[in-house]
Amino acid sequence: MALWAQMTPQLQYLPTQTLNELYPDTFPLDVRHYLASWIEEQRWENFDVDNMEQKPQARRLLDQMVHLLQEVAQHNPNVVERVKLQHISRNLSVFQPQPMQLVRTVRDILRKERHILAQAGMHPNFPPFQQIPQGPPATNGTPQPAREDGKTDVDNLVLKVLEIQNCRQTLHQLQEDLNWEKQEIESIQGQNELDPQHSDQVARQTRIQQLEYNYSVCAKKRVQLLHEAVCALEQCQSCLILRIKSWRWEQHRATIGVHFDDNLGPLQTWCEQLLGVNGNLRQELMLVKRDHGGAEQFHTLQESLTHLLQTLIQSSLVVDKQPPQVIKTQSKFSTTVRYLLGEKMAPGKPVLLKAQIITEAQARNLGQQGVVPNENVGELINSTAILEHNTSSKSTCATFRNMSIRKIKRADRKGSESVTEEKFALLFTTEITITGCESPYSIQAISLPVVVIVHGSQEINAMATIIWDCAFSEPNRIPFIVPERVPWKQMCEALSSKFMSEVQTQRCLDGYNLHFLAQKIFDQPDISEDFSNMPVSWAQFNKEVLPGRNFTFWQWFEGVMDLTKKCLRDYWSEGLIFGFIGKQHLHVILQNKPNGTFLLRFSDSEIGGITIAYVGPNDIGGRKIQNIQPFTKKDLDSAGLGDRIRDINCITHVHPDLPKNDVFKKFFTVPSPPNPDGYLPFKLTTVVNPGDQGSSTASIPPDTPMDIYGQSMTYGSNMNQGIFSPLPQSTPPYMPEQIPVQGPLYQSPMPQAPSSEEIDMEALEGILSSICQNTNKDLH
């Protein structure tokens, strides 16, 4: 009710006649006052009052208005007001035979209110057309239009059209007056100057001259307003198209965790309003051409409006819910495409949307030529869907629920390019006819880039391609070009944003974490170097393995994210995990701390591991920094990190000096009660083998295999692998499923090979790569 809140103070300054004209007896001021919020929420401008197909919708609005007014009357404590409102609600029934008249009445009232406020300089939504406010700059420095400008410009356009219509009505009245005066003067022409009626003839001639002058001025103003309105429509629609592109860009960036408002409602309203304005202007232009002839200037305006209409119709198809950006063949996935002008589609034949997969080269040609590719590079299953309108959400969407890529045709790869670096996209096409338009329009929309894989082992590398594309591509690029190198500070933003999004935490990567990541990717151990402007390449990100390792930077970083998301989210969010830290920096932090001080850091030698670094005694009575063998997801699934920290006696205080039992108490597992079937419970206990403590050095200790597991059984109490707590033997002991061994244990299930029908060289390469990763051996 923002409009009514501004209008209310102005009512006292309006003449009584103006108030009576603004709020007629059929729609008194009381209705406008009590139903202000509801009235301003409805889409009155979307109605074509001459379209009888919208009559049921108008009648529903009338019924709602009567119902709401009756409710207001029932809850009004003032008896006089209550009776008055009930009387008004009954009088609204005069609109029942012609509900479109109610729409016309309310729409005109709102237009006149905006016009009054604009004249008074009160309305905040009426800046000059040329001064379009700019929103905050995007991450690449490109300014984005402010989101509220759509309403601003549309309000101005509506007023401009209303002014043109008023001019037309004034011209019609002037023409009628002129015809009458000419008819009257013809009846008294040729009379003697001495005749008393001669003076009346002169007066009529003067009036005719004045009417002709007024007609000429109004006609020129009408044409000028029409030019101004078309120009304003071009500017407003340019802002809309820019905002739709901005929405798509934000949707793209959401892959790396950038905030994204996916609400398309305001954009849909904006599209529908511009379509209505375009239709009104085309109608006014047609009437102007009838009155003034088909001048060249009108032909130019006609072409401009036709082009704007086509651009609006073709730009209103968007991919609302993107398909997964890494798609495995033979796997089901879904996607949703939405048409923002769905309520304006001509009724009748259902609109069928078709999908096809296209290559990067085809996407590039699509942008240049605007034609649908003929060559089929992939076989899609369930690749058609019907655009259906949802009345509750007022959206028109086509949902592909069980789409699948049966097979894909690869392009020839260059050099060391991998199949996981090849980008495709889904292209959606259809033909749509808009109400009031004679011929259908061909429209299309393209998805974000996707990578197609044939085996699960390719997923991490494929996701690296997507992350690089989403983080470092430019808006309005040629599909799907990305830079080969970017400054490290840009990489920092992308890594931190993706980490927060993937882990679902509000805690970002701090300066210490990001500095170590730079040391890692650049292989620069110097702790003081500034890496901000150092360029990092795609090869460093996910093509070249890290020095001394058999995995890339992204594979290692993704493993940490996965571990944190599944096992360590709360620890990380509460700041209990230091995270990424180099051993030099680790030594600086812990060198002056007492024995038992520890911190949690992500392993830099193992994918998806977290280790405990702590200060302990050395053999000569001094102190040294020890690193316990990293815990993986498999380890933490059997016993949580909190329980393992509780079990290890040589660590007492988490850095800087917080008692571990206070800080980690909430993560300790409560001992389970005895089983009702008589079996005694058992637990896993983590200990550090004291006999191996001397294997670390004081300055830069390596990750040392020191984590030992033990089962609390009555046997094996002197085993080197663990310490066992004897329990009463009221029941026979049961052997554990797995006897732990000292040192690193790498056991992963072998990936399941595809069927013989699926096997190709690409799939075989993925399987062999997975085996090598699981066994930490190179592929020869």
Side-chain angles (χ1 to χ4, degrees):
M1 55 184 294
L3 181 63
W4 181 245
Q6 297 174 66
M7 189 67 193
T8 304
Q10 300 299 309
L11 296 178
Q12 57 183 321
Y13 304 112
L14 297 179
T16 303
Q17 181 180 355
T18 302
L19 281 174
N20 291 336
E21 292 175 355
L22 185 58
Y23 305 106
D25 293 337
T26 54
F27 197 90
L29 182 64
D30 307 71
V31 180
R32 180 69 180 96
H33 172 70
Y34 284 105
L35 302 184
S37 296
W38 180 84
I39 289 173
E40 293 177 27
E41 289 172 359
Q42 309 310 310
R43 300 180 179 180
W44 306 102
E45 294 294 341
N46 290 357
F47 281 85
D48 179 1
V49 293
D50 297 324
N51 183 5
M52 289 300 101
E53 293 180 355
Q54 293 182 302
K55 191 173 180 180
Q57 188 177 353
R59 180 168 282 111
R60 284 195 296 271
L61 287 176
L62 172 61
D63 294 341
Q64 291 179 29
M65 184 178 291
V66 172
H67 176 71
L68 289 172
L69 204 58
Q70 290 174 347
E71 283 190 348
V72 171
Q74 291 176 0
H75 294 89
N76 197 313
N78 188 308
V79 178
V80 177
E81 282 293 308
R82 184 163 64 245
V83 173
K84 182 180 179 182
L85 290 174
Q86 290 173 346
H87 180 70
I88 292 174
S89 67
R90 287 193 294 270
N91 287 346
L92 286 176
S93 61
V94 298
F95 293 110
Q96 200 66 35
Q98 294 293 333
M100 297 299 286
Q101 186 60 37
L102 170 69
V103 172
R104 188 195 304 271
T105 300
V106 178
R107 186 188 63 185
D108 290 345
I109 288 174
L110 295 177
R111 287 178 177 179
K112 291 174 183 177
E113 287 179 352
R114 295 190 187 99
H115 188 61
I116 290 171
L117 292 175
Q119 289 181 326
M122 291 285 295
H123 203 295
N125 288 334
F126 291 90
F129 284 112
Q130 291 77 10
Q131 299 178 0
I132 300 174
Q134 295 293 314
T139 54
N140 63 343
T142 304
Q144 303 296 318
R147 295 197 177 196
E148 297 301 322
D149 292 344
K151 187 177 187 305
T152 299
D153 294 346
V154 171
D155 284 346
N156 278 288
L157 276 171
V158 169
L159 285 176
K160 191 73 70 174
V161 172
L162 183 61
E163 201 170 353
I164 295 172
Q165 292 171 342
N166 289 338
C167 273
R168 172 167 51 80
Q169 294 170 0
T170 301
L171 284 172
H172 182 73
Q173 185 63 46
L174 287 171
Q175 186 63 57
E176 288 185 345
D177 293 345
L178 194 58
N179 293 340
W180 173 259
E181 292 295 340
K182 288 181 177 180
Q183 178 181 335
E184 288 295 312
I185 201 171
E186 286 178 359
S187 64
I188 59 177
Q189 276 182 346
Q191 296 182 1
N192 194 306
E193 293 183 0
L194 300 177
D195 193 306
Q197 292 186 348
H198 179 71
S199 60
D200 184 44
Q201 180 180 356
V202 173
R204 287 185 180 276
Q205 287 178 339
T206 303
R207 282 200 298 272
I208 288 174
Q209 292 176 353
Q210 184 64 43
L211 286 171
E212 288 177 338
Y213 174 78
N214 291 344
Y215 186 92
S216 175
V217 170
C218 192
K220 290 180 180 179
K221 181 181 179 182
R222 180 189 184 189
V223 174
Q224 180 185 354
L225 287 173
L226 194 57
H227 277 278
E228 292 176 357
V230 173
C231 182
L233 177 60
E234 289 177 345
Q235 295 185 17
C236 184
Q237 185 163 310
S238 295
C239 290
L240 170 63
I241 302 301
L242 184 61
R243 181 65 201 114
I244 292 176
K245 290 180 178 179
S246 177
W247 185 91
R248 289 175 176 147
W249 170 247
E250 292 169 10
Q251 185 188 47
H252 190 193
R253 297 275 293 170
T255 303
I256 59 170
V258 177
H259 174 72
F260 169 54
D261 181 7
D262 62 353
N263 180 20
L264 282 168
L267 287 179
Q268 176 171 314
T269 300
W270 197 348
C271 288
E272 292 170 347
Q273 289 173 333
L274 290 192
L275 182 66
V277 169
N278 192 298
N280 290 334
L281 289 178
R282 283 185 288 122
Q283 182 179 13
E284 291 300 322
L285 180 61
M286 180 180 63
L287 296 174
V288 169
K289 290 170 66 177
R290 182 197 64 184
D291 297 339
H292 296 271
E296 179 64 26
Q297 59 175 335
F298 300 137
H299 180 67
T300 303
L301 289 178
Q302 181 70 45
E303 288 183 342
S304 297
L305 288 173
T306 302
H307 174 70
L308 287 172
L309 177 64
Q310 179 179 350
T311 302
L312 179 63
I313 291 173
Q314 293 178 338
S315 301
S316 299
L317 189 68
V318 296
V319 183
D320 188 5
K321 305 298 181 186
Q322 290 284 343
Q325 288 191 260
V326 176
I327 303 175
K328 183 177 177 294
T329 55
Q330 311 290 342
S331 298
K332 292 182 181 179
F333 62 92
S334 63
T335 183
T336 301
V337 180
R338 178 168 173 174
Y339 191 53
L340 301 179
L341 291 174
E343 292 189 340
K344 306 300 180 180
M345 292 192 310
K349 185 179 178 181
V351 177
L352 187 68
L353 206 66
K354 299 179 181 179
Q356 69 180 98
I357 191 163
I358 60 175
T359 64
E360 182 174 339
Q362 289 175 325
R364 202 166 296 166
N365 294 331
L366 183 70
Q368 296 173 354
Q369 303 171 8
V371 295
V372 178
N374 293 325
E375 183 183 1
N376 191 3
V377 299
E379 184 179 345
L380 279 177
I381 302 174
N382 300 323
S383 59
T384 59
I386 295 176
L387 275 173
E388 298 177 307
H389 184 69
N390 187 316
T391 54
S392 60
S393 63
K394 297 182 179 179
S395 62
T396 303
C397 299
T399 301
F400 299 81
R401 292 183 175 84
N402 295 297
M403 193 181 289
S404 177
I405 300 177
R406 176 175 290 174
K407 59 183 179 180
I408 192 73
K409 180 181 178 182
R410 302 283 185 185
D412 294 334
R413 300 198 292 275
K414 300 178 181 179
S416 62
E417 186 180 20
S418 166
V419 294
T420 58
E421 297 176 64
E422 186 177 4
K423 287 178 274 193
F424 297 87
L426 294 182
L427 176 66
F428 304 93
T429 57
T430 189
E431 283 194 348
I432 285 182
T433 302
I434 298 296
T435 302
C437 300
E438 297 179 358
S439 57
Y441 290 85
S442 297
I443 62 175
Q444 59 190 23
I446 189 172
S447 74
L448 296 178
V450 301
V451 175
V452 181
I453 62 176
V454 298
H455 194 272
S457 63
Q458 299 171 315
E459 183 174 359
I460 294 176
N461 290 332
M463 184 52 68
T465 300
I466 295 301
I467 295 299
W468 187 275
D469 184 272
C470 293
F472 308 124
S473 59
E474 297 290 334
N476 303 317
R477 62 173 173 175
I478 298 174
F480 296 112
I481 294 178
V482 286
E484 185 64 26
R485 296 175 180 272
V486 295
W488 171 250
K489 57 186 177 184
Q490 268 189 261
M491 176 67 78
C492 287
E493 295 174 5
L495 292 177
S496 184
S497 179
K498 180 61 178 176
F499 188 93
M500 293 173 64
S501 171
E502 191 72 19
V503 177
Q504 293 294 298
T505 179
Q506 296 300 313
R507 182 189 169 199
C508 64
L509 301 179
D510 60 23
Y512 294 117
N513 296 151
L514 294 171
H515 188 82
F516 172 68
L517 291 176
Q519 291 178 302
K520 187 84 171 174
I521 201 169
F522 293 121
D523 191 26
Q524 298 286 339
D526 187 357
I527 197 171
S528 61
E529 188 168 352
D530 181 13
F531 299 99
S532 299
N533 296 315
M534 187 175 293
V536 58
S537 68
W538 160 249
Q540 290 171 305
F541 183 67
N542 195 55
K543 283 186 75 72
E544 302 169 352
V545 295
L546 294 170
R549 310 297 183 203
N550 63 350
F551 46 78
T552 65
F553 175 86
W554 167 254
Q555 291 167 353
W556 169 73
F557 184 80
E558 195 279 337
V560 171
M561 283 196 305
D562 188 64
L563 175 73
T564 309
K565 176 178 68 175
K566 294 177 179 177
C567 303
L568 305 173
R569 178 189 293 115
D570 293 339
Y571 297 90
W572 172 264
S573 298
E574 296 186 19
L576 301 178
I577 298 175
F578 195 97
F580 301 100
I581 179 174
K583 292 173 182 176
Q584 277 187 315
H585 189 199
L586 175 67
H587 182 72
V588 172
I589 290 178
L590 295 181
Q591 63 180 345
N592 295 322
K593 294 297 180 180
N595 289 346
T597 303
F598 71 98
L599 60 77
L600 298 168
R601 69 178 187 89
F602 298 124
S603 171
D604 65 345
S605 62
E606 184 170 339
I607 293 180
I610 186 168
T611 185
I612 300 174
Y614 71 98
V615 181
N618 61 17
D619 296 336
I620 58 175
R623 289 175 296 114
K624 62 180 178 181
I625 298 175
Q626 299 275 72
N627 287 274
I628 298 175
Q629 177 182 327
F631 300 110
T632 64
K633 178 183 179 297
K634 182 178 180 181
D635 301 326
L636 298 179
D637 284 343
S638 59
L641 182 61
D643 289 341
R644 293 182 180 276
I645 290 174
R646 177 191 58 191
D647 294 342
I648 302 174
N649 295 325
C650 56
I651 57 175
T652 57
H653 289 73
V654 67
H655 181 271
D657 56 359
L658 302 175
K660 71 173 186 180
N661 289 336
D662 294 342
V663 175
F664 291 93
K665 183 177 180 180
K666 62 182 293 185
F667 300 105
F668 295 164
T669 301
V670 178
S672 55
N675 293 323
D677 54 7
Y679 291 115
L680 293 178
F682 70 92
K683 68 174 184 176
L684 296 174
T685 302
T686 304
V687 296
V688 174
N689 190 340
D692 289 346
Q693 285 186 1
S695 61
S696 297
T697 61
S699 56
I700 309 178
D703 284 354
T704 311
M706 300 292 292
D707 183 28
I708 316 302
Y709 309 100
Q711 303 275 8
S712 293
M713 297 297 186
T714 59
Y715 53 88
S717 60
N718 58 354
M719 289 176 65
N720 187 37
Q721 288 85 352
I723 298 177
F724 302 96
S725 302
L727 299 175
Q729 293 199 40
S730 57
T731 57
Y734 285 81
M735 291 293 292
E737 294 180 358
Q738 177 180 320
I739 299 295
V741 297
Q742 183 174 346
L745 182 63
Y746 298 97
Q747 293 188 356
S748 294
M750 196 71 87
Q752 183 177 357
S755 65
S756 58
E757 299 169 336
E758 285 184 50
I759 289 183
D760 56 18
M761 289 304 297
E762 184 181 331
L764 185 59
E765 178 185 343
I767 298 171
L768 293 176
S769 174
S770 176
I771 295 173
C772 292
Q773 290 179 11
N774 290 328
T775 58
N776 279 341
K777 295 184 182 294
D778 294 330
L779 176 61
H780 296 289

